[in-house]
Amino acid sequence: MLRLGYAKPGSWASFWAILTLVGLATRAAQRADVGGESTGTSINHSQLLLQRLQELLRQGNASDVVLRVQAAGTDEVRVFHAHRLLLGLHSELFRELLSNQSEAVLQEPRDCAAVFDKFIRYLYCGELTVLLAQAIPLHRLATKYGVASLQRGVADYMRAHLAGGAGPAVGWYHYAVSTGDEALRQSCLQFLAWNLSAVAGSAEWGAVSPELLGQLLLRSDLVLQDELELFHALETWLGRARPPPAVAERALRAIRYPMIPPAQLFQLQARSAALARHGDAVADLLLQAYQFHAASPLHFAKFFDVNGSAFLPRNYLAPAWGAPWVINNPARDDRSTSFQTQLGPSGHDAGRRVTWNVLFSPRWLPVSLRPVYADAAGTALPAARPEDGRPRLVVTPASSGGDAAGVSFQKTVLVGARQHGRLLVRHAYSFHQSSEEAGDFLAHADLQRRNSEYLVENALHLHLIVKPVYHTLIRTPK
């Protein structure tokens, strides 16, 4: 809420003083043609201008407006002597508000009032220092007063710190929803999906809204140990949030019970407080899960549609679904490894394994860029440089056979980064089902640089995941 005061407008002298100062920037950037040079020489005094503007704000010289910023619900008032012209250059709201007034009382939330000095400084100098706790109040002020450049800058800061694992992803998600910032909302949602285990074990988990929980439970790219971990996280959330029965039952029905082994399903039914309270709502799903594990996949697929999300694994980190791979000094040379995964999540396939061979090359060159030393006429051609290549990761089965009938394999590679002592997922690359490699794998990574965001202590931390997907081979006649 804004309250206008009535005071004598500032003098024209102060107005011209500002114009004179701004004009300094124009004169400072003039190009001089010295000694017959074909191009001008730039004289840059922009830092001097910034210093003058900081002094102008700090000392209040020639100010023609007064802003009184009151923290909502308190008697605390901060006074800023400012200049109508500079405020109006950035903000149409300030331009209209101060067009015929020289004093304004602004009521702001406490967190916004606490950073109003940073906000004003940005209007004068175009820069500020942001802390995590200040991101939302600064973004609120930029949004309220229509300072688009600061809005974009703070939003970029929030997205960057989400990727680094430092930002409060849940709080920022809810803020993005309230302001309609779709790019920030999607960034928060992606971070939460890739790092659900870390978030579910933190204090933030209790602040998750039912809407956000529903969004997460629908995703197949959630990264967690297994589906049982997701069930326990949901049960913890239900105990804290105590939502209406309809919300709890809808959430419980989003668990992919066929991905949980039968022995663990028996334990859940015997010990889970959530199932004791809402078991009837998921009884059909539990029965279907037991049927899925009891029958062969081919027989089960004759009677049930196995293409639904309940039969699609998420990105599980348990050994049955993949393996971690730490590559030290990844820019040095090619590496290879192998690992095994279960043929499928069905209990019928529990003892059957698929072996996978993996090749990593830090500087693989496409055929079009491979060294060629002479053309057909014998003219020497320059060889491609090693740095022209890009990292490549190839995942292939060690053998093929009937064991994989009716099953295709989706492959995902997670790239970890260590932040605040935790190893978080920074990037994820998915392979097409028919492909042996991800075409964009580390496409923008500079593995030569020791402080690369893709490296942890000069090592590349990967986690290879193979998700078996069943296909309906024979449909039941209608």
Side-chain angles (χ1 to χ4, degrees):
M1 181 178 69
L2 303 178
R3 295 209 307 269
L4 302 182
Y6 294 88
K8 183 179 179 180
S11 66
W12 281 102
S14 62
F15 177 78
W16 287 112
I18 299 297
L19 285 182
T20 301
L21 186 59
V22 173
L24 175 63
T26 304
R27 292 196 297 275
Q30 289 177 338
R31 295 178 178 270
D33 188 3
V34 180
E37 293 178 351
S38 60
T39 58
T41 300
S42 176
I43 300 175
N44 188 344
H45 295 156
S46 58
Q47 289 301 316
L48 176 61
L49 174 61
L50 287 176
Q51 292 174 12
R52 296 279 181 86
L53 289 172
Q54 291 181 50
E55 292 173 4
L56 196 67
L57 175 62
R58 184 169 57 251
Q59 298 173 4
N61 294 339
S63 64
D64 55 359
V65 293
V66 176
L67 302 179
R68 300 185 182 277
V69 181
Q70 182 175 9
T74 72
D75 296 328
E76 178 186 348
V77 176
R78 304 181 72 183
V79 179
F80 298 89
H81 295 274
H83 304 83
R84 176 183 286 109
L85 177 61
L86 287 177
L87 298 183
L89 284 173
H90 292 277
S91 168
E92 180 68 28
L93 180 59
F94 272 134
R95 191 178 307 131
E96 295 178 0
L97 177 64
L98 301 171
S99 60
N100 59 358
Q101 310 295 333
S102 62
E103 183 171 338
V105 178
L106 313 177
Q107 287 203 352
E108 304 292 349
R110 294 185 186 184
D111 57 347
C112 292
V115 297
F116 205 88
D117 56 335
K118 287 179 174 281
F119 175 63
I120 290 292
R121 173 186 163 79
Y122 177 84
L123 301 183
Y124 276 73
C125 305
E127 64 177 7
L128 51 74
T129 301
V130 188
L131 301 176
L132 288 174
Q134 298 170 340
I136 286 181
L138 282 169
H139 194 275
R140 279 201 185 108
L141 289 172
T143 303
K144 176 179 178 178
Y145 292 100
V147 185
S149 58
L150 182 57
Q151 273 185 284
R152 290 192 299 271
V154 176
D156 289 344
Y157 166 88
M158 295 167 82
R159 285 192 289 271
H161 281 72
L162 275 173
V170 173
W172 285 358
Y173 174 88
H174 293 142
Y175 173 74
V177 170
S178 69
T179 58
D181 190 327
E182 182 62 17
L184 179 58
R185 188 188 78 88
Q186 288 294 339
S187 296
C188 293
L189 200 56
Q190 185 65 83
F191 174 84
L192 291 168
W194 285 350
N195 297 280
L196 192 64
S197 291
V199 176
S202 72
E204 277 202 286
W205 186 241
V208 169
S209 66
E211 180 271 337
L212 173 54
L213 180 71
Q215 291 281 325
L216 291 171
L217 291 175
L218 291 175
R219 298 178 70 111
S220 295
D221 63 341
L222 296 185
V223 177
L224 62 167
Q225 194 68 17
D226 50 30
E227 194 73 13
L228 185 63
E229 181 187 16
L230 182 60
F231 181 90
H232 288 318
L234 172 58
E235 192 164 40
T236 298
W237 183 87
L238 292 173
R240 293 178 183 175
R242 300 194 177 279
V247 173
E249 292 169 5
R250 185 163 56 249
L252 286 168
R253 290 190 65 83
I255 294 294
R256 300 180 181 182
Y257 296 100
M259 299 300 107
I260 302 176
Q264 294 177 349
L265 286 175
F266 281 125
Q267 291 182 355
L268 287 182
Q269 286 189 286
R271 301 174 184 176
S272 168
L275 290 184
R277 190 176 300 112
H278 305 287
D280 290 345
V282 296
D284 59 323
L285 300 181
L286 292 171
L287 174 60
Q288 187 183 62
Y290 286 125
Q291 292 171 323
F292 171 74
H293 287 295
S296 73
L298 292 179
H299 186 74
F300 184 85
K302 294 179 182 180
F303 302 96
F304 297 95
D305 181 7
V306 293
N307 295 318
S309 61
F311 302 98
L312 179 62
R314 307 184 203 262
N315 289 329
Y316 302 130
L317 302 177
W321 305 92
W325 190 19
V326 178
I327 305 176
N328 294 307
N329 301 312
R332 191 180 64 195
D333 49 28
D334 293 357
R335 317 291 174 85
S336 63
T337 189
S338 62
F339 65 99
Q340 288 189 329
T341 62
Q342 60 188 11
L343 176 64
S346 168
H348 187 273
D349 291 333
R352 305 164 78 182
R353 294 287 184 266
V354 178
T355 300
W356 301 92
N357 295 328
V358 189
L359 170 67
F360 170 78
S361 177
R363 290 179 297 276
W364 176 80
L365 288 172
V367 173
S368 60
L369 291 179
R370 289 178 184 174
V372 177
Y373 300 100
D375 61 11
T379 304
L381 298 176
R385 299 168 300 174
E387 56 266 28
D388 292 331
R390 61 171 178 80
R392 185 190 190 197
L393 190 78
V394 181
V395 182
T396 56
S399 61
S400 59
D403 280 351
V407 180
S408 63
F409 297 96
Q410 294 182 356
K411 309 176 194 78
T412 299
V413 181
L414 308 177
V415 181
R418 190 172 300 281
Q419 295 290 337
H420 307 289
R422 300 181 301 173
L423 191 63
L424 301 176
V425 176
R426 190 71 177 267
H427 303 276
Y429 300 92
S430 295
F431 297 49
H432 294 295
Q433 288 188 19
S434 60
S435 174
E436 296 178 343
E437 63 180 304
D440 60 344
F441 177 68
L442 298 180
H444 305 291
D446 182 2
L447 300 181
Q448 302 278 354
R449 185 164 53 88
R450 294 185 65 89
N451 61 346
S452 169
E453 66 181 71
Y454 295 85
L455 302 180
V456 180
E457 298 175 352
N458 202 34
L460 185 62
H461 286 250
L462 306 179
H463 198 105
L464 311 167
I465 298 173
V466 179
K467 299 190 286 188
V469 180
Y470 293 115
H471 298 289
T472 299
L473 302 179
I474 304 175
R475 295 191 178 277
T476 305
K478 298 294 183 183

